[in-house]
Amino acid sequence: YLYRNCGEGGNIRHQTPHGNRIIHNVFNFGQAAGAAPAVWLSARNGQRSYCDQDRGYPFGSSASDLDHATGNLIEDNRFIGTDPERAIRDTSGPVGTL
């Protein structure tokens, strides 16, 4: 799961989940087909109760609770027991790119 913690403990997070390379993996869902995805871009995207604990500053997670999971490469992976459309989830909206 690629995400950035937002506001947890009042700490501002600066790093975003970008530039990751998820390549040449085998994900075996077995009987877990339909479960959570194997790869999830922007898995949290500001959907946590503590995201506002770092409010008030014009930078990092204080300025935006979104994960900003951009520029990540996901290729040449095998998904056993499910298809890539179900195994990879991107909830970053227009911000994220594959």
Side-chain angles (χ1 to χ4, degrees):
Y1 288 17
L2 281 65
Y3 62 88
R4 170 175 73 172
N5 284 330
C6 58
E8 192 171 8
N11 295 307
I12 298 172
R13 308 294 205 248
H14 299 279
Q15 296 290 82
T16 60
H18 70 279
N20 294 286
R21 298 168 43 103
I22 302 171
I23 304 171
H24 305 299
N25 296 286
V26 177
F27 298 95
N28 190 343
F29 279 73
Q31 295 182 347
V39 178
W40 190 347
L41 300 167
S42 291
R44 293 185 174 178
N45 228 14
Q47 301 299 311
R48 295 293 185 267
S49 61
Y50 46 77
C51 283
D52 61 350
Q53 292 179 1
D54 67 351
R55 289 280 176 238
Y57 299 92
F59 49 84
S61 62
S62 182
S64 172
D65 291 333
L66 299 178
D67 292 333
H68 299 286
T70 61
N72 296 294
L73 179 63
I74 303 169
E75 76 177 16
D76 293 327
N77 295 293
R78 285 186 37 214
F79 301 95
I80 301 169
T82 193
D83 53 50
E85 291 77 26
R86 293 183 65 123
I88 301 171
R89 187 177 300 167
D90 183 359
T91 52
S92 58
V95 181
T97 59
L98 288 177

